Amino acid sequence: MTPLTLFSEPFARTGNIAGEGFRRLLGRPALGLLQTVIREALQNSVDAGPEGNSVEVKLRYRVLQGGELEQFKALAFPELPPGLSEQQTQISEDTETRSSSTGLLGSRLGIFEIADFNTSGLAGPTRADEISEVEDPDFVNFFRNVGAARDTNLGGGTYGYGKTSLYALSGCSTIIVDSQTTCAGQPVRRVMGCHLGNAYQNDHEGAPKRYTGRHWWGREDGDGGVDPVEGEEATQLANALGFPARDETLTGTTIAIIAPHIDEDAELSSDLVESVLWNFWPRMCATTPADRKISITLEVEGNRISIPAPEEFPPLDLYSKALAKARAGEGKPVESLRYKAKLGNLAIVHGLRSPRDGIAQKEGSLIPSHSAHIALMRPVELVVRYLPGEAYPSDRVEWAGVFICSDKPDIERAFADAEPPAHDDWIPDMLPKGREKTLVNVALREIRQEALTYAQPKSLAISSRQKGPSVAGTATKLGKLLGQTSSKGPGRRASGGGGGKRNKISISAPRFVKLDQIDHQLVAVFEADLINDGSDPEMQLHAAPQLVIDGSLEDAADFPAGYDVSLLDIRLEDGEAHPDQLSIGSKGGIVTCRVAMPEDVAASVKFTFWKGDEA
């Protein structure tokens, strides 16, 4: 089998981008390098999936040693470009390093592979100056060009800048790509390697010549350039290099990152699982349509790693519910009044905090221990970033939100253009002054406002004149949880059945007075003003505990364990305490109720008047 041939790119008369400049194009991603690579590669895999096809992705880390390593290097890297061989020699002499970055000249070599299936692969011509009327120029946009415009409607990324993260993860800035794809409508297999180095000067046929630092391993094209190995030779080479098996029915691409910056002593398996889940759970939910799903498998040094379903991996269970609501249009529309445009849909759900998976408990985990975030995404449903908000005061309750921007082309394009090369944020300042910048700014302002106020709605605020002496400290501790709320306005009134004279039997809305601690149980004390003209001596006052959820009152019986509230007693003035109701006769004055409650719920009281045994 013929090894690949090295080609080093010289500077053209009209100039080229130097290798070091190419590497800098990624900028400074807000994410870790491994997470950036996984996001970028899987975004492109999703974009490469033909409409109506689910996408399969395999992430694999393997280590080559001995004869397997020697064969790999002999076939893929029979010659190393200037600069790389010296760099790898120095790295391999570092005996203290056990990382896979021991490099191309060491005794062991790590390879991190990202393989997708049911995608279009790197299709089209292999030369940047050729035009195809059949396929998009994916091969040249990935290997040759820099910063190609997005060619996928409502797609997740581009082949332009973020691909540099693949080289950044490599300890030798080198990748090898195997793709089963099409060219001019015909199936073709392609294998090619690439290294990004620094610009340099070298002798060429007795004269100095400048080189960009970009190098390829492939086949000479007979015109002073290089093409990939193709056809049956490419299939045999891919098999010899140990890449996942493919045929004409298993279209797609395998990207092999050589000598990745991965610490083999670290928890690589858990890093991969949480990176996949935290970034791609919207495409992995049970409610995701089959043609939009992405199936991901993980393998580390021959061991298959299972990935939990998002619905079984807190807090993604809450995010999954929020996503379903946002998809169904059940959330809150985010709008621009100035441009009369709907910018997207925001849905937020809350629930009891579930115990975290062991993966999410390690130090530095991506998964928050207490969720209070909104996942921002475009219609492609890939997470751009998580916008943090105000958490509930207690870690027993948490919330999660999803915002999906509008799929109207002009609005979706504004959000896409606001993303940096790593697609990990929306930055309005990247847009020129005008409508698009305003739309993104308005959306982010409204989303931030929701994130900061969801756990403390204005309707639950306690006015300062109604706070007791100890309420300041209590409000600080419980935030939104103690408020004066009534579903019946300022009070309830009961009237007799006869005549034109209006009887005056009414009670005000309950107002919070203080918190007590009784036998390690938190007890909230409420008061209300009872007005009674004595016109109905059989009148009774009934009290029921209520939960305050999202600014409204809900019956405590409708909620699961963990939201338990109960009425301890009700009394009028200094009279006898009763379990839940009073026979008021002709009496009036201050009614006091005590409600037992956990620290992480908001409680109130609902009053109703009963006449005899009838409500």
Side-chain angles (χ1 to χ4, degrees):
M1 188 179 303
T2 305
L4 295 173
T5 302
L6 175 66
F7 172 81
S8 300
E9 179 186 54
F11 275 101
R13 287 184 197 174
T14 53
N16 294 81
I17 185 169
E20 58 265 40
F22 189 100
R23 291 198 306 272
R24 293 192 192 105
L25 289 174
L26 181 64
R28 297 179 179 272
L31 309 171
L33 189 53
L34 180 63
Q35 188 183 173
T36 299
V37 166
I38 291 174
R39 279 172 54 97
E40 174 63 23
L42 267 64
Q43 282 178 353
N44 285 328
S45 294
V46 169
D47 288 348
E51 188 173 351
N53 263 21
S54 61
V55 173
E56 297 179 15
V57 176
K58 181 174 184 178
L59 304 179
R60 179 173 69 165
Y61 177 72
R62 57 188 174 122
V63 177
L64 305 182
Q65 302 181 74
E68 189 179 25
L69 172 58
E70 293 307 313
Q71 174 177 287
F72 189 94
K73 292 193 294 185
L75 292 174
F77 307 115
E79 181 183 359
L80 298 182
L84 180 58
S85 57
E86 291 84 351
Q87 174 195 358
Q88 295 304 293
T89 299
Q90 182 177 0
I91 291 175
S92 65
E93 290 174 350
D94 181 4
T95 56
E96 295 181 0
T97 256
R98 188 179 170 269
S99 164
S100 61
S101 62
T102 44
L104 292 171
L105 298 182
S107 60
R108 53 201 317 275
L109 179 67
I111 300 176
F112 181 57
E113 295 168 345
I114 304 161
D116 61 39
F117 303 87
N118 298 329
T119 66
S120 58
L122 298 180
T126 60
R127 301 189 184 190
D129 58 350
E130 291 184 2
I131 298 175
S132 172
E133 297 181 357
V134 179
E135 298 102 355
D136 292 324
D138 291 330
F139 182 89
V140 294
N141 283 343
F142 181 86
F143 263 115
R144 315 281 201 187
N145 295 337
V146 180
R150 181 176 61 154
D151 56 11
T152 302
N153 184 40
L154 303 182
T158 71
Y159 270 137
Y161 300 117
K163 68 185 180 186
T164 60
S165 63
L166 303 171
Y167 299 92
L169 183 61
S170 168
C172 53
S173 301
T174 301
I175 65 172
I176 299 180
V177 175
D178 166 34
S179 188
Q180 179 69 53
T181 184
T182 60
C183 184
Q186 298 300 312
V188 63
R189 186 76 173 266
R190 293 170 168 169
V191 175
M192 193 172 187
C194 187
H195 165 68
L196 290 185
N198 297 328
Y200 66 99
Q201 180 176 304
N202 204 0
D203 287 342
H204 177 72
E205 298 180 352
K209 192 168 186 176
R210 290 272 296 159
Y211 293 86
T212 66
R214 293 208 295 173
H215 308 266
W216 289 274
W217 288 269
R219 288 285 179 265
E220 292 183 4
D221 63 5
D223 195 24
V226 63
D227 275 336
V229 173
E230 292 190 336
E232 181 59 28
E233 183 185 10
T235 299
Q236 293 177 7
L237 180 59
N239 292 338
L241 296 177
F243 294 150
R246 296 182 184 275
D247 56 30
E248 292 181 4
T249 66
L250 290 175
T251 57
T253 301
T254 298
I255 300 173
I257 301 173
I258 308 302
H261 291 294
I262 290 175
D263 185 353
E264 294 175 10
D265 294 326
E267 292 294 330
L268 176 59
S269 299
S270 61
D271 288 346
L272 292 175
V273 169
E274 68 174 10
S275 290
V276 165
L277 282 172
W278 193 234
N279 291 288
F280 294 96
W281 61 267
R283 291 298 193 106
M284 303 169 69
C285 293
T287 58
T288 301
D291 61 349
R292 291 177 65 83
K293 278 201 172 185
I294 181 169
S295 174
I296 302 175
T297 58
L298 303 179
E299 183 181 312
V300 176
E301 297 195 54
N303 297 316
R304 179 78 174 265
I305 310 302
S306 62
I307 304 176
E311 293 85 354
E312 299 173 0
F313 191 84
L316 296 186
D317 54 340
L318 293 180
Y319 286 99
S320 300
K321 293 177 182 177
L323 175 62
K325 290 183 63 176
R327 285 171 174 162
E330 297 175 3
K332 174 183 178 181
V334 176
E335 299 174 317
S336 167
L337 299 179
R338 176 180 177 183
Y339 291 106
K340 296 181 173 61
K342 180 179 177 181
L343 306 180
N345 201 33
L346 172 63
I348 301 178
V349 300
H350 65 268
L352 294 176
R353 180 188 176 278
S354 298
R356 296 299 191 252
D357 187 281
I359 292 172
Q361 295 180 20
K362 69 176 185 179
E363 184 177 355
S365 172
L366 299 172
I367 314 301
S369 59
H370 191 182
S371 177
H373 301 74
I374 296 174
L376 308 180
M377 57 187 78
R378 292 188 279 115
V380 70
E381 291 185 358
L382 300 175
V383 176
V384 174
R385 64 164 293 200
Y386 290 87
L387 191 149
E390 187 70 24
Y392 283 111
S394 169
D395 63 2
R396 291 189 62 189
V397 180
E398 59 187 347
W399 62 268
V402 168
F403 171 78
I404 307 176
C405 81
S406 170
D407 60 1
K408 289 188 176 180
D410 59 328
I411 296 176
E412 192 275 342
R413 184 175 58 250
F415 285 92
D417 291 346
E419 293 179 8
H423 312 294
D424 57 358
D425 203 353
W426 286 335
I427 306 176
D429 287 345
M430 294 181 62
L431 302 173
K433 185 177 181 180
R435 181 176 182 269
E436 288 191 347
K437 184 174 184 177
T438 299
L439 295 180
V440 178
N441 265 321
V442 168
L444 288 175
R445 182 190 67 207
E446 295 299 312
I447 297 167
R448 287 192 183 100
Q449 181 66 16
E450 286 294 321
L452 292 174
T453 60
Y454 178 77
Q456 190 174 4
K458 292 180 181 178
S459 61
L460 298 183
I462 307 169
S463 64
S464 59
R465 65 178 176 271
Q466 291 175 322
K467 292 181 183 178
S470 64
V471 174
T474 300
T476 300
K477 180 180 179 183
L478 296 181
K480 77 152 194 170
L481 301 182
L482 299 173
Q484 52 167 47
T485 313
S486 173
S487 59
K488 298 295 183 182
R492 293 182 58 86
R493 173 172 294 178
S495 59
K501 182 181 178 181
R502 192 169 187 180
N503 298 321
K504 294 181 180 179
I505 304 178
S506 65
I507 190 165
S508 68
R511 56 183 177 271
F512 169 73
V513 177
K514 64 178 179 177
L515 282 180
D516 283 337
Q517 196 84 14
I518 301 177
D519 295 330
H520 306 291
Q521 172 69 61
L522 192 66
V523 175
V525 180
F526 297 90
E527 288 183 351
D529 297 319
L530 173 65
I531 298 175
N532 185 5
D533 64 357
S535 59
D536 193 337
E538 296 183 3
M539 189 65 68
Q540 298 183 31
L541 176 65
H542 182 269
Q546 297 276 284
L547 283 170
V548 182
I549 302 293
D550 293 344
S552 63
L553 292 175
E554 305 286 350
D555 288 336
D558 295 336
F559 287 82
Y563 287 92
D564 300 321
V565 295
S566 60
L567 187 78
L568 295 183
D569 53 44
I570 178 173
R571 72 175 66 214
L572 178 60
E573 296 289 352
D574 295 327
E576 182 181 351
H578 296 267
D580 60 2
Q581 68 183 44
L582 293 172
S583 179
I584 60 176
S586 60
K587 300 176 183 177
I590 297 176
V591 174
T592 303
C593 295
R594 297 191 302 166
V595 177
M597 53 182 280
E599 291 188 0
D600 53 2
V601 301
S604 187
V605 180
K606 178 181 179 181
F607 293 114
T608 52
F609 288 100
W610 291 14
K611 185 175 180 180
D613 295 329
E614 298 180 0

